[in-house]
Amino acid sequence: MALTKLSSHEIDNKLTELSGWELQDSKLHREFKFADFVEAFGFMSRVALLAESAGHHPEWFNVYNTVKIDLATHDVGGISEADFALAQKINRLCGK
């Protein structure tokens, strides 16, 4: 099934069901804080395995105990179902 860009209305509706994520710069965005760098890096490693298995990769930024993740589907020029699916999997890693 081909991915399509979600409308603003669809994104807003889906965000109400996705804990911790917001729309920022036309991407799904969430910031995670951990006890230290090792915990943050371990989280990033687990996310990397999820992303690779989904064939859908995040944009992210890490400094010490903070990981910022942005999700968008470049092939559709916006946010797709794949972004929400990956965000939900990431939330499950954190138990949220």
Side-chain angles (χ1 to χ4, degrees):
M1 179 169 85
L3 294 173
T4 59
K5 181 178 176 179
L6 298 174
S7 70
S8 296
H9 180 71
E10 290 170 315
I11 292 167
D12 290 342
N13 284 340
K14 289 184 164 294
L15 274 172
T16 64
E17 301 170 5
L18 189 62
S19 176
W21 294 81
E22 64 184 356
L23 190 61
Q24 185 176 20
D25 298 325
S26 300
K27 299 173 186 173
L28 294 183
H29 175 82
R30 183 161 181 194
E31 184 173 316
F32 297 86
K33 294 272 189 186
F34 299 93
D36 56 30
F37 176 73
V38 171
E39 191 176 315
F41 193 86
F43 169 75
M44 290 177 70
S45 296
R46 292 188 302 278
V47 170
L49 293 173
L50 286 175
E52 185 64 22
S53 70
H56 193 65
H57 304 93
E59 295 176 16
W60 53 12
F61 178 79
N62 166 247
V63 174
Y64 185 59
N65 70 335
T66 302
V67 177
K68 297 177 184 180
I69 299 178
D70 291 315
L71 299 174
T73 304
H74 300 285
D75 291 345
V76 302
I79 297 172
S80 73
E81 290 286 349
D83 301 302
F84 279 95
L86 185 55
Q88 289 170 341
K89 289 176 182 177
I90 292 168
N91 277 2
R92 283 194 289 274
L93 283 179
C94 298
K96 298 176 183 177

